[in-house]
């Protein structure tokens, strides 16, 4: 069982919970790299995180527009940047930000070099670390090969008791959207 290499892009409370969840403090033997555009929060460059991680958890802000719709500019910009940097074909990018159904598929079409799954988080800011390591279920949307890789990662980290719901992008996005 080789050491997992985990990347975190966006070190807000969601990204920090992922970092915590794969840290030695939780009895987990993973190597974690972290990038945030705020240099004071960043431990690595984006290129290092992308190319030296097997799984990259992307948790960047999706603020609301004035009309209440979700603004995905930050998400799309960071995926474009990662697509430019990525030199691998085997790493998997887990988008965790809240987006409207159809967004992940559109990003995947634009970023052909990336293997993207939608893996929504259900964390509360107050107890994000606890929530991450005690999830009631995992939802993973995307193509079968990448979804299966993420399932293996979660089984390695969390065991076999937590249900993993494997579906397509839009269904996973809708589940998250309805939970918000």
């Amino acid at each position: 069982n080789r050491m997992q290499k985990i990347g975190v892009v966006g070190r807000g409370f969601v990204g920090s919970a992922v970092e915590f969840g794969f840290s030695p403090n939780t009895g987990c033997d993973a190597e974690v790299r972290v990038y945030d555009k705020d240099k004071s929060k960043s431990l690595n460059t984006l290129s290092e995180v992308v190319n030296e991680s097997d799984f990259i958890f992307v948790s960047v802000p999706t603020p609301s527009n004035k009309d209440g719709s979700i603004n995905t500019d930050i998400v799309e910009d960071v995926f474009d940047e990662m697509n430019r940097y990525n030199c691998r074909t085997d790493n998997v990018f887990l988008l965790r930000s809240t987006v409207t159904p159809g967004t992940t598929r559109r990003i995947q079409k634009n970023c052909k070099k990336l293997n993207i799954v939608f893996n929504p988080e259900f964390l509360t800011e107050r107890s994000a670390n606890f929530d991450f390591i005690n999830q009631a279920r995992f939802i993973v949307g995307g193509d079968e090969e990448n979804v299966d890789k993420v399932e293996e990662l979660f089984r390695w980290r969390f065991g076999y008791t937590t249900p993993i719901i494997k579906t397509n992008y839009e269904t996973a996005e809708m589940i998250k959207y309805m939970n918000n």
Side-chain angles (χ1 to χ4, degrees):
N1 213 352
R2 68 188 192 81
M3 179 183 277
Q4 296 289 345
K5 295 180 176 185
I6 304 297
V8 174
V9 174
R11 202 182 192 189
F13 80 91
V14 175
S16 296
V18 174
E19 180 185 5
F20 171 80
F22 285 99
S23 71
N25 313 346
T26 61
C28 184
D29 190 22
E31 204 175 279
V32 182
R33 291 179 174 79
V34 180
Y35 170 79
D36 192 284
K37 71 176 186 340
D38 175 347
K39 300 257 185 296
S40 69
K41 293 180 174 181
S42 209
L43 305 176
N44 303 88
T45 67
L46 186 58
S47 179
E48 286 169 340
V49 169
V50 166
N51 289 300
E52 295 174 31
S53 305
D54 302 317
F55 296 93
I56 298 96
F57 289 80
V58 182
S59 309
V60 296
T62 48
S64 294
N65 291 313
K66 285 196 175 70
D67 66 0
S69 63
I70 292 175
N71 183 318
T72 58
D73 293 352
I74 299 169
V75 170
E76 294 185 52
D77 289 349
V78 80
F79 271 96
D80 287 341
E81 211 176 327
M82 292 187 300
N83 193 48
R84 286 198 303 274
Y85 287 136
N86 191 35
C87 301
R88 296 175 55 170
T89 56
D90 63 331
N91 49 0
V92 179
F93 295 78
L94 296 87
L95 175 55
R96 315 201 76 223
S97 310
T98 301
V99 295
T100 43
T103 304
T104 311
R105 189 174 302 281
R106 187 177 72 245
I107 292 171
Q108 179 66 83
K109 277 196 185 107
N110 295 337
C111 300
K112 295 196 179 11
K113 288 181 4 189
L114 306 181
N115 302 311
I116 305 172
V117 300
F118 186 70
N119 169 232
E121 50 74 21
F122 302 96
L123 311 177
T124 52
E125 191 158 0
R126 194 172 42 83
S127 58
N129 289 358
F130 177 83
D131 294 347
F132 182 77
I133 57 177
N134 295 285
Q135 291 184 61
R137 69 209 175 297
F138 294 101
I139 293 161
V140 188
D143 82 33
E144 198 174 351
E145 185 187 351
N146 296 322
V147 164
D148 288 349
K149 283 184 184 176
V150 172
E151 179 182 28
E152 282 173 35
L153 172 71
F154 287 158
R155 292 295 177 223
W156 171 82
R157 174 59 189 89
F158 299 102
Y160 287 84
T161 53
T162 309
I164 296 179
I165 299 160
K166 301 193 288 187
T167 183
N168 62 20
Y169 290 133
E170 290 78 8
T171 304
E173 288 165 328
M174 186 56 83
I175 291 168
K176 170 63 176 166
Y177 198 64
M178 295 312 289
N179 263 280
N180 266 22

